[in-house]
Amino acid sequence: MFSMEDLTKEDIGRKGFTLLQLKDGFRFGTDSVLLAWFAASFIRRGNSGDKRCDMLELGSNCGAVSLCVAARYEHAYIDAVEIMPDECEVMKMNIANNDVSSRMRAFNADIRDLPSEVKNKQYDVVFMNPPFYSRQNGPAAGRSEGRLNGRFEENGDLNDFMKVASSRVVPSSGHVVVVMHADRLNDVLTSMREYNVKPTRLLAVHPFEERNAAMVLVAGKKGASGSDLKILPPLILSKKSADGCIINTARINDIYDKEHTDCFI
């Protein structure tokens, strides 16, 4: 069990929400921010903007992505599943500290063995940041258990995540949303086809305009018909200023700082 000295506290930069994280665990990063933004872009809002959206996050760690979604849309009701007990306990602390216990629940469970409260429910949006690498794709030695589980397929691979997402999303109208290392885009699309999730939106994320994509954000619908896959304009993270400093692009600043206006449905 961890102590408070094992935690850090950050401001997530929206609505005054804060985030506790284990110092030696998987850390909140750009992929988490972008997944939250992308997932929130598939919320169907009513005319008054107050339509309830039931959402599920698979592999939530300390709850950073779900908290970012909750901060973006106050009518998001989120169930978050995390296998690591310490990380899940931190997530519960984050839920309490940010006063979102009425609309966010944390479950300490393996995604392959969901609790009945989740297993018997369908969701408008299922979002996930599966481990980017298999054990064969990178060095695992020297990593903490939390970092190992966050980046390597120790407790379920991409197909496991996609299978569960497909089983829990509302058919036809619901969305499955995933962030993945760009080199594994083919794996994502193959897994979607395997579990009857039709890709509908694809966004490549590039560190600089002249660099290859580092990440992809992909969304799909279960059992959707037609051929409406849209490849969105690339998202560039950084650029060099006139004096040679590396700064965020205007688009990234908008995503980080402004209220949510994107809609990719």
Side-chain angles (χ1 to χ4, degrees):
M1 183 62 182
F2 61 87
S3 67
M4 293 304 295
E5 288 72 30
D6 297 321
L7 301 174
T8 62
K9 185 176 182 179
E10 285 83 32
D11 184 342
I12 68 171
R14 191 169 295 274
K15 302 282 179 65
F17 278 38
T18 59
L19 179 70
L20 295 173
Q21 300 183 93
L22 288 165
K23 293 177 182 177
D24 200 31
F26 178 74
R27 305 289 293 180
F28 178 60
T30 302
D31 51 351
S32 302
V33 175
L34 294 181
L35 176 60
W37 161 72
F38 203 65
S41 299
F42 291 90
I43 295 175
R44 294 185 181 276
R45 292 164 172 80
N47 292 333
S48 59
D50 59 358
K51 184 177 180 180
R52 175 182 174 123
C53 182
D54 288 303
M55 308 181 76
L56 171 64
E57 184 184 10
L58 301 175
S60 307
N61 200 267
C62 65
V65 180
S66 287
L67 286 171
C68 283
V69 173
R72 285 183 174 275
Y73 188 59
E74 64 182 7
H75 298 288
Y77 288 78
I78 306 168
D79 287 340
V81 181
E82 172 54 43
I83 193 172
M84 301 290 288
D86 283 354
E87 281 78 354
C88 190
E89 190 61 33
V90 176
M91 176 161 53
K92 291 177 180 178
M93 295 168 66
N94 282 322
I95 290 171
N97 290 347
N98 291 288
D99 196 25
V100 290
S101 58
S102 64
R103 57 192 183 97
M104 183 173 168
R105 302 187 296 177
F107 295 91
N108 182 204
D110 190 320
I111 63 161
R112 298 163 295 185
D113 186 20
L114 293 173
S116 59
E117 298 99 317
V118 177
K119 198 171 186 178
N120 297 322
K121 185 175 178 181
Q122 288 186 311
Y123 297 85
D124 301 303
V125 180
V126 180
F127 57 101
M128 52 192 180
N129 183 356
F132 277 10
Y133 309 109
S134 70
R135 288 299 294 270
Q136 289 74 35
N137 291 137
R143 296 173 184 261
S144 68
E145 186 178 9
R147 293 178 189 271
L148 185 63
N149 279 277
R151 275 291 179 249
F152 291 84
E153 294 175 338
E154 296 292 305
N155 292 294
D157 60 17
L158 175 59
N159 283 337
D160 292 318
F161 276 79
M162 195 63 67
K163 179 180 180 181
V164 175
S166 174
S167 72
R168 301 275 47 86
V169 73
V170 176
S172 298
S173 63
H175 295 269
V176 174
V177 182
V178 58
V179 63
M180 181 51 69
H181 195 284
D183 290 349
R184 296 194 66 193
L185 174 58
N186 187 55
D187 293 340
V188 173
L189 298 179
T190 300
S191 187
M192 282 183 155
R193 285 193 294 271
E194 175 72 18
Y195 295 104
N196 196 27
V197 177
K198 184 181 182 302
T200 57
R201 300 294 184 272
L202 169 62
L203 175 64
V205 181
H206 299 251
F208 291 94
E209 187 175 24
E210 68 275 12
R211 299 276 186 88
N212 291 339
M215 286 180 278
V216 288
L217 292 152
V218 188
K221 290 182 177 182
K222 180 180 179 180
S225 59
S227 56
D228 59 346
L229 171 63
K230 290 183 172 60
I231 300 176
L232 302 168
L235 177 60
I236 312 301
L237 298 180
S238 304
K239 64 179 182 179
K240 286 188 177 181
S241 65
D243 58 3
C245 295
I246 295 175
I247 59 174
N248 289 341
T249 60
R251 182 71 172 126
I252 284 297
N253 284 334
D254 284 349
I255 290 171
Y256 283 173
D257 300 333
K258 292 187 178 180
E259 289 307 305
H260 209 93
T261 58
D262 298 284
C263 184
F264 299 131
I265 294 173

